[in-house]
Amino acid sequence: MPTSTSPAAPGTPTALLHRLVPLRRFEVASQLAVLLAATLGLGMPLPLPVMLSAIGVLPLANLVLRRQLRSLAGRDAAAGEKLVLAQLAVDVAVLAVLLYCAGGSANPFVSMLLVPLTLVAASLSAPYVAAMAALTLGAYSLLMVVYHPLPTPRLDLSPLDALFAPAEGSEHVHSGFGLHVVGMWFNFVASATVVGIFVTRLARALREREQALAEAREQALRHEHLIGIATLAAGSAHKLGTPLSTLAVTLHELRRERPDDAELQDELALLEDQVGRCKTILKEIAAAAEPARTPLPVADWLAALADEWQVIRPRARLVCDLSGAGTAPVAPERALENALLNLLDNAADATPEGGEPLRFTGRIDGDRLILSIADRGPGPGALGQRLGAPVASSKRDGLGIGYFLANAAVERLGGQVSLVPRDDGPGTLTRIDLPLIRLGPGPATPDTP
């Protein structure tokens, strides 16, 4: 059911149509209240059957509008503008009938004809504004010459006339002048309420829309930054292939020439392992665009990721608790795995050597995968507030983009990375919140701003 809060962009015909439903409810309630006050309170003999029938058209128009809103999705803006004009024309016609039965243009509520024009002017293009202006002006002009005189109240209103007399000598004031002034006051209150509510909500929606656009622009800039880094990484991977091959051949030759030096052999073996690891990383960069791999249960995937990291960092100590990770099948892209490996690297770098081991936990919370990495470093500091932007590294030899890239990879899948101080002492708790549906089998698709 449409409500005053609509997902449509503010200031558009669709947004106005959604807001017209509750505005009409207020309109019907206020018209019935004024009609009851005039007939029961003041004793004015008004043509109730005609006026109530006219008011009854508005709920029917709301029912039609709600059906039309369901079929409006996907249609062009011109269709929405035509529908707005047609719906508000019904409101103008109903108000014109009510005014026709109660004094025409002399009725103090005649300025309510400006409310539909105000709504159109705030949302539609100039031709439709001109059409609504012509319609309201035509109705007002017609009511100046064609109308039923406003009936005389049965109550004695001479004290009210004397109270609002424009000058001394209230005996010269025509009967009903005070009632007209009071009616104008009520009309002003009703008009101010309708226009104030609509303009306030429109302004709030515009502010929210502007904030959403600003966030989308900021995300687009981050994506451009990532594209630049990815392009540079691809070029660097291509250039590094030759020197790594040369280094691998040289190390092999050194091992062959010095077979008796056990200590040197160990050091050269370690260097060969590291060169092999560099080649593997370059292959992963080249294979980043390949389809997703065979799905694995969440716990098995995280355990394999932890084992891979231990191969990279054999001297680092890692304690895993993946009992709550579940068995849902996932096939995440390699970029996410690299992001998690990078976060583990940063946590290990922050932890003093020989200190407490890192704690890597994973659990399922509804449709979310919650991962956490706890270290005993100095704490997040200012980095926790600047995680979404490139920052200067807190490490002596750091490049300053590791956290930025990790956060970007997680955000691309609809997740979030947060850095907070640990509750049980010094250190940082890195929390990664990911939607399971974006980790499922098949290639992940990025969010659309």
Side-chain angles (χ1 to χ4, degrees):
M1 181 178 69
T3 64
S4 59
T5 302
S6 166
T12 62
T14 303
L16 175 56
L17 288 170
H18 280 281
R19 289 180 173 85
L20 185 57
V21 175
L23 284 176
R24 270 201 179 132
R25 294 171 186 160
F26 175 80
E27 182 182 1
V28 170
S30 59
Q31 288 173 350
L32 289 175
V34 171
L35 196 58
L36 289 175
T39 54
L40 300 180
L42 300 177
M44 300 175 68
L46 295 171
L48 289 180
V50 176
M51 301 181 78
L52 289 175
S53 298
I55 295 175
V57 171
L58 295 178
L60 295 178
N62 254 2
L63 291 176
V64 173
L65 174 58
R66 290 166 63 183
R67 290 178 178 272
Q68 291 172 325
L69 281 172
R70 296 191 187 101
S71 61
L72 190 62
R75 300 174 65 183
D76 57 11
E81 291 189 316
K82 291 177 182 177
L83 183 56
V84 169
L85 186 64
Q87 285 288 333
L88 288 178
V90 174
D91 293 78
V92 173
V94 169
L95 185 57
V97 171
L98 296 178
L99 294 172
Y100 166 79
C101 296
S105 61
N107 191 296
F109 288 93
V110 70
S111 62
M112 288 295 291
L113 287 170
L114 292 175
V115 174
L117 179 60
T118 302
L119 300 181
V120 169
S123 302
L124 305 190
S125 56
Y128 293 94
V129 176
M132 179 55 67
L135 181 61
T136 53
L137 180 60
Y140 187 92
S141 302
L142 189 62
L143 289 171
M144 293 178 65
V145 294
V146 181
Y147 60 90
H148 282 287
L150 192 64
T152 302
R154 293 193 178 97
L155 294 179
D156 182 14
L157 300 178
S158 55
L160 195 61
D161 292 337
L163 179 63
F164 292 101
E168 294 184 1
S170 60
E171 65 276 3
H172 300 297
V173 178
H174 67 275
S175 177
F177 179 79
L179 178 63
H180 184 83
V181 173
V182 173
M184 290 178 63
W185 183 85
F186 278 106
N187 171 49
F188 181 83
V189 171
S191 301
T193 301
V194 172
V195 174
I197 291 175
F198 177 78
V199 173
T200 299
R201 291 185 176 181
L202 179 62
R204 182 177 61 191
L206 286 172
R207 288 194 298 270
E208 293 174 353
R209 180 70 171 176
E210 184 63 27
Q211 181 179 357
L213 289 174
E215 293 175 355
R217 286 193 294 268
E218 183 178 351
Q219 186 175 10
L221 290 175
R222 288 202 300 268
H223 287 171
E224 290 181 5
H225 193 122
L226 288 174
I227 291 173
I229 294 175
T231 303
L232 181 60
S236 299
H238 178 71
K239 296 176 182 178
L240 285 173
T242 299
L244 284 176
S245 297
T246 303
L247 185 58
V249 172
T250 302
L251 290 172
H252 179 72
E253 291 297 324
L254 286 174
R255 293 191 66 183
R256 189 172 62 83
E257 292 175 0
R258 305 287 293 273
D260 299 331
D261 192 337
E263 184 177 354
L264 179 60
Q265 287 290 323
D266 291 340
E267 295 294 336
L268 293 176
L270 177 61
L271 288 176
E272 283 187 332
D273 289 341
Q274 295 301 315
V275 170
R277 178 59 189 162
C278 290
K279 289 184 175 181
T280 301
I281 293 173
L282 295 182
K283 291 179 181 179
E284 290 173 354
I285 294 176
E290 293 181 359
R293 294 156 294 173
T294 303
L296 291 174
V298 177
D300 293 348
W301 167 63
L302 292 175
L305 193 66
D307 291 341
E308 180 182 350
W309 184 77
Q310 285 280 218
V311 173
I312 303 172
R313 302 289 295 263
R315 297 180 180 177
R317 294 188 297 163
L318 180 66
V319 176
C320 296
D321 180 8
L322 307 176
S323 57
T327 59
V330 295
E333 57 187 29
R334 186 60 188 174
L336 175 62
E337 294 183 342
N338 288 334
L340 297 179
L341 293 174
N342 189 28
L343 291 174
L344 285 167
D345 273 340
N346 281 282
D349 292 338
T351 301
E353 188 174 352
E356 182 179 315
L358 301 182
R359 298 190 178 276
F360 181 44
T361 62
R363 61 182 176 85
I364 300 295
D365 185 4
D367 60 349
R368 315 286 295 185
L369 173 61
I370 310 298
L371 306 175
S372 63
I373 304 169
D375 64 56
R376 284 301 183 189
L383 185 61
Q385 287 76 40
R386 302 178 59 192
L387 193 58
V391 295
S393 176
S394 59
K395 296 180 292 185
R396 184 180 60 183
D397 299 324
L399 299 178
I401 61 174
Y403 275 121
F404 170 69
L405 294 176
N407 184 71
V410 173
E411 279 191 345
R412 180 176 175 272
L413 298 177
Q416 184 179 11
V417 181
S418 57
L419 303 178
V420 295
R422 291 183 62 170
D423 296 331
D424 57 349
T428 301
L429 182 66
T430 304
R431 188 175 186 272
I432 304 101
D433 184 343
L434 288 161
L436 269 177
I437 192 173
R438 303 298 295 276
L439 307 180
T445 55
D447 287 328
T448 302

